Amino acid sequence: TSSSHLNKSANSASSHTTSNASNTNDGDFSEVITITNGTTKFQTTASKISLPYLHCGYVFYSEGSFDPATDVEIILLHGAAYTKQDWEDSGILKSLCTLGNRIVDGKERKRRTSVTALDLSVKSTGEELHSAVYALYDHANVLSGKPAVVVSPSASGKAMVELAKYYHEDATQKANGGLLKKMVSALVNVGSPA
């Protein structure tokens, strides 16, 4: 698979998004966090894939421009024995959505945070990950389209490795910074202790 093949796949992505919002506040946080449970679909060269996701926090696509100096957008993948729901059930999703304020130039500034947990199979290819992120931006309007922090536990790292591979194998993508650089601002690999 070449990176030009990945671009064609992402550009042909189609999406239908539905969502059910629910407010959760267990008293640990000062504000109510709305977690949206949605589904989008995208087309790869092999098949049409349905992608369930959870989202909380700011929606940069519709609520305003993304400022990489102060804003953060996080994509949560999962390992083989888990799903997107584990991010919510563990409290991690809600915790990340309340990443709080920062001091900027001596003044407190509210950090705008967007967190999206995906139910993308750990067997997914780099093409499928790229197409999924593109569909969440261009069709579901959940992501900003800017590089995001990607948390990749365990087996979900396979797709990230494939994206990195395209950066090194395709001269055009390497010259343009590669798909990995366009999609990922930081990668957090998570592994459990043995």
Side-chain angles (χ1 to χ4, degrees), residues 84-153:
K84 66 175 174 39
Q85 192 61 46
D86 291 296
W87 290 110
E88 182 178 9
D89 293 347
S90 67
I92 294 172
L93 182 69
K94 186 166 50 169
S95 179
L96 289 172
C97 286
T98 59
L99 278 177
N101 300 338
R102 299 176 1 144
I103 303 299
V104 178
D105 298 327
K107 297 178 185 173
E108 189 175 44
R109 181 168 178 185
K110 178 111 172 114
R111 178 191 300 260
R112 299 184 305 172
T113 304
S114 170
V115 184
T116 307
L118 309 182
D119 252 351
L120 190 66
S121 169
V122 295
K123 296 178 182 178
S124 294
T125 64
E127 171 193 2
E128 290 166 337
L129 176 60
H130 180 260
S131 295
V133 169
Y134 183 82
L136 286 164
Y137 157 68
D138 195 50
H139 303 287
N141 302 333
V142 172
L143 299 178
S144 70
K146 305 289 186 204
V149 174
V150 177
V151 178
S152 175

Side-chain angles (χ1 to χ4, degrees), residues 158-178:
K158 174 185 175 284
M160 297 302 300
V161 169
E162 284 192 13
L163 282 177
K165 182 176 79 171
Y166 300 131
Y167 174 83
H168 292 288
E169 288 182 354
D170 186 296
T172 303
Q173 284 300 321
K174 189 172 182 177
N176 293 326

Side-chain angles (χ1 to χ4, degrees), residues 26-100:
D26 60 12
D28 294 339
F29 305 103
S30 60
E31 58 187 273
V32 174
I33 302 299
T34 300
I35 297 177
T36 303
N37 187 356
T39 303
T40 190
K41 294 181 181 180
F42 63 93
Q43 183 71 44
T44 67
T45 53
S47 63
K48 190 171 211 170
I49 297 173
S50 180
L51 178 68
Y53 65 88
L54 293 172
H55 177 268
C56 63
Y58 206 77
V59 180
F60 294 104
Y61 186 93
S62 61
E63 296 179 27
S65 62
F66 179 82
D67 180 357
T70 57
D71 300 334
V72 64
E73 196 164 42
I74 303 169
I75 298 171
L76 302 172
L77 304 176
H78 61 76
Y82 301 94
T83 70
K84 66 175 174 39
Q85 192 61 46
D86 291 296
W87 290 110
E88 182 178 9
D89 293 347
S90 67
I92 294 172
L93 182 69
K94 186 166 50 169
S95 179
L96 289 172
C97 286
T98 59
L99 278 177

